[in-house]
Amino acid sequence: QKEVEQDPGPLSVPEGAIVSLNCTYSNSAFQYFMWYRQYSRKGPELLMYTYSSGNKEDGRFTAQVDKSSKYISLFIRDSQPSDSATYLCAVLGGNSGNTPLVFGKGTRLSVIA
Amino acid sequence: EPEVTQTPSHQVTQMGQEVILRCVPISNHLYFYWYRQILGQKVEFLVSFYNNEISEKSEIFDDQFSVERPDGSNFTLKIRSTKLEDSAMYFCASSGVTGGFNEQFFGPGTRLTVL
């Protein structure tokens, strides 16, 4: 069972564009939804997380979860060349400290100046 | 800012050899994890560790793998007899204990190449 699906891209946009990244998941038990950013030859770094459904905004980034359709989105406004990275969606089944993360495959984003 | 560190950054080994990947988690964290990422594939969970024992492990984490916290700072992953398919990036992560969401902080990874 493929638990988290993510279009791997690559996605190339001009500087200043709005970027939309999406994932779907299969298990309705998932409660926490994360977006990680991974630069080349680095480990994943948490960008944002959302609990249950709804939106969360942090500067130019907005995370959105629709639990009814099991759909996770990340929007980047006014994209910058420094946003060029691989973006990984991830889910967490609970909040116990040892709950494994389940990742999507990652979408490689290039923002062209 | 505290960070997870991993050594070595790149390890090349011959098939059948044992390798030990090392990690220093963030000092006040209590949960430790290993994940791996085969080139072009998803980041996959291997094992979690708490209170000096394995909390959870995936089906990937078979008898060839073991983890250890030999002292108060290091966390190691041992692969007893490496196979070609063990070639991957291995990420260590750690998390603390709070009343809410516990972020898992990742290290930079060790690239393991099995020849």
Side-chain angles (χ1 to χ4, degrees):
Chain A
Q1 184 181 14
K2 297 183 179 180
E3 295 197 277
V4 181
E5 290 297 307
Q6 183 176 8
D7 184 344
L11 183 62
S12 184
V13 301
E15 183 176 357
I18 296 174
V19 176
S20 172
L21 305 170
N22 307 291
C23 291
T24 57
Y25 64 95
S26 57
N27 190 336
S28 58
F30 294 137
Q31 298 181 47
Y32 285 90
F33 306 90
M34 282 72 66
W35 285 96
Y36 280 81
R37 181 171 57 195
Q38 186 178 22
Y39 292 111
S40 181
R41 300 190 181 279
K42 299 284 188 183
E45 177 187 25
L46 182 66
L47 194 58
M48 298 179 70
Y49 77 93
T50 310
Y51 177 73
S52 194
S53 284
N55 290 2
K56 188 172 186 178
E57 190 173 317
D58 184 1
R60 297 183 294 109
F61 298 86
T62 299
Q64 195 172 73
V65 176
D66 182 347
K67 292 194 78 176
S68 63
S69 58
K70 299 191 182 70
Y71 204 76
I72 313 165
S73 300
L74 178 71
F75 300 97
I76 308 174
R77 292 185 299 281
D78 187 25
S79 55
Q80 302 295 309
S82 58
D83 295 330
S84 298
T86 297
Y87 290 80
L88 309 166
C89 61
V91 298
L92 196 64
N95 194 35
S96 67
N98 63 345
T99 304
L101 291 166
V102 180
F103 284 93
K105 202 171 184 179
T107 300
R108 183 182 295 179
L109 172 68
S110 295
V111 181
I112 311 301
Chain B
E1 186 174 327
E3 58 182 14
V4 177
T5 59
Q6 291 185 242
T7 55
S9 57
H10 190 190
Q11 174 88 49
V12 181
T13 190
Q14 295 292 323
M15 188 170 57
Q17 295 297 303
E18 175 184 286
V19 294
I20 297 176
L21 310 183
R22 292 182 166 79
C23 167
V24 178
I26 293 173
S27 62
N28 62 345
H29 282 182
L30 299 178
Y31 292 95
F32 314 111
Y33 317 80
W34 285 100
Y35 292 82
R36 79 170 186 191
Q37 185 176 30
I38 294 171
L39 187 64
Q41 303 297 316
K42 297 180 179 183
V43 176
E44 301 173 290
F45 168 74
L46 292 178
V47 65
S48 58
F49 192 85
Y50 171 72
N51 200 26
N52 286 319
E53 61 182 23
I54 290 174
S55 298
E56 191 168 343
K57 60 183 180 179
S58 71
E59 58 189 24
I60 303 168
F61 194 87
D62 62 21
D63 292 343
Q64 293 299 311
F65 292 88
S66 63
V67 289
E68 193 178 32
R69 189 156 162 82
D71 53 43
S73 59
N74 290 285
F75 180 51
T76 62
L77 174 69
K78 181 191 291 187
I79 309 176
R80 201 182 338 271
S81 177
T82 49
K83 306 182 185 69
L84 295 176
E85 54 264 37
D86 294 328
S87 295
M89 281 290 289
Y90 288 80
F91 294 106
C92 173
S94 69
S95 66
V97 179
T98 67
F101 175 73
N102 293 314
E103 179 181 349
Q104 293 181 28
F105 292 82
F106 284 77
T110 292
R111 180 173 300 279
L112 176 64
T113 301
V114 182
L115 302 176

